[in-house]
Amino acid sequence: MPPDLSVVIPAHNEELSVEALGSAFNDFVETIDFSIQLVFVDDGSIDGTIQALQNYPFRAADVKIIKLSRNYGAHAAIRAGVANADADYVMVYSMDMPEPIEDIALFVKELKAGNEIVYSKRMGYRGSLGSRIFAKLARRYIMPEFPHEGLIGVAFGPKAKELLNEHMEDNTSFFFQLFHFGFQRSSFEVKFQERKAGSSSWTFSKKLKLMIDSFVMFSFVPIRAITTLGFILAAIGFLYALVIIIIWLFSAHSLSPGFPTIISVLLIGFGLTNVSLGIISEYLVRTLEAARRRPVFIVDEVFQVRGN
């Protein structure tokens, strides 16, 4: 009989977090009246994460450990976990426990109430300036209904799970795709908890990649900005040419060779051209990746652990 809820937990070099997470889950499963399955996805860890998960004495929960062939990134790891989850209801949780594990019961309650997507919003958390700017731009140009504070945990039902597994997108945001489905949603506020052990692998380069992926995959704003900029520069060029012609016709001022002006125009023009080509290339590269149909992730091994 399948469990009532599968909890997908991506892990990358989280050996130090296993003890605290396992202890919290062991205490939690003693207080609930539904069955859960823990689906850990090792995303190419180079420490002892796999061994720590295999050796930890989890109680009253089936544990499945998915070992990926290399590091694919958190969103690909989540997709691997969803694809290997046995329950119809699935929740995504984090190894660093940013919200109390007891809140999982609230997710199950909201899902059983008829909501297809349930998520928790952060309270008491202020991200970096770059994160806040990205959040505002994302709400304005990608998905206005995406929460201001960002997500912590998210859970979804069988319809969303089926669509996620059927449309396995690479180089994209798992959460934006989930919200893009437009199913009935419910949310509640949670006080953000700081990491208790280990260190985050969420580096600046990964954040930057996610930002680019999100805008390219879920918005036409970058490509339309290029078109708008092209029209503006063309209009400025025509006006400048018109001014030169008028000055030449009426000889109001003498015209002298403008070498610095030419150099400036060339540098600005070539710079904007290269930026435009870069944005267009981002769309083309993702089209190429989709046409190649390479796997979003490759599972190396699957370890099934029966709870005690």
Side-chain angles (χ1 to χ4, degrees), residues 1-236:
M1 183 176 180
D4 296 318
L5 177 73
S6 291
V7 183
V8 174
I9 309 173
H12 178 65
N13 296 334
E14 293 284 4
E15 179 183 5
L16 298 178
S17 301
V18 173
E19 179 72 28
L21 181 75
S23 177
F25 264 109
N26 281 348
D27 293 338
F28 173 64
V29 296
E30 300 292 340
T31 66
I32 58 177
D33 57 358
F34 56 88
S35 59
I36 64 173
Q37 175 192 46
L38 303 182
V39 184
F40 292 97
V41 184
D42 181 73
D43 187 26
S45 297
I46 58 175
D47 63 355
T49 299
I50 283 284
Q51 291 75 19
L53 290 172
Q54 288 179 305
N55 296 330
Y56 191 84
F58 290 99
R59 295 199 305 267
D62 289 337
V63 180
K64 184 182 289 188
I65 304 171
I66 312 297
K67 182 178 183 296
L68 301 185
S69 61
R70 62 173 176 84
N71 178 241
Y72 288 89
H75 290 249
I78 292 172
R79 294 180 187 279
V82 174
N84 286 273
D86 296 326
D88 288 334
Y89 293 125
V90 180
M91 179 181 175
V92 179
Y93 196 71
S94 298
M95 286 290 296
D96 57 348
M97 295 188 293
E99 66 178 303
I101 283 183
E102 292 76 16
D103 287 347
I104 293 177
L106 297 177
F107 283 92
V108 174
K109 180 181 178 181
E110 291 296 316
L111 287 171
K112 291 185 175 180
N115 298 291
E116 187 65 22
I117 300 173
V118 183
Y119 61 96
S120 55
K121 299 181 291 186
R122 289 184 284 203
M123 293 178 59
Y125 175 83
R126 184 175 176 82
S128 62
L129 177 61
S131 298
R132 297 198 300 273
I133 293 175
F134 169 66
K136 289 183 179 180
L137 292 175
R139 284 183 56 82
R140 182 176 179 84
Y141 297 112
I142 299 178
M143 198 163 291
E145 64 272 22
F146 204 76
H148 289 278
E149 306 84 356
L151 298 173
I152 303 182
V154 64
F156 46 90
K159 290 188 289 187
K161 178 186 176 184
E162 181 180 358
L163 284 171
L164 287 167
N165 289 333
E166 182 179 351
H167 303 283
M168 194 79 69
E169 296 183 3
D170 194 9
N171 294 314
T172 186
S173 167
F174 173 86
F175 301 109
F176 279 130
Q177 185 183 7
L178 182 62
F179 270 65
H180 184 71
F181 294 152
F183 292 125
Q184 180 175 325
R185 296 188 291 267
S186 174
S187 66
F188 53 89
E189 293 183 335
V190 172
K191 187 174 181 179
F192 181 77
Q193 297 184 154
E194 295 293 339
R195 172 184 282 272
K196 296 179 177 62
S199 58
S200 175
S201 299
W202 191 232
T203 61
F204 174 77
S205 60
K206 292 180 179 179
K207 293 178 181 179
L208 181 61
K209 181 182 183 302
L210 177 62
M211 183 185 71
I212 295 173
D213 289 342
S214 299
F215 275 96
V216 171
M217 297 299 289
F218 293 97
S219 174
F220 293 110
V221 169
I223 204 75
R224 287 172 180 166
I226 293 176
T227 304
T228 303
L229 182 61
F231 279 116
I232 292 174
L233 292 177
I236 293 174

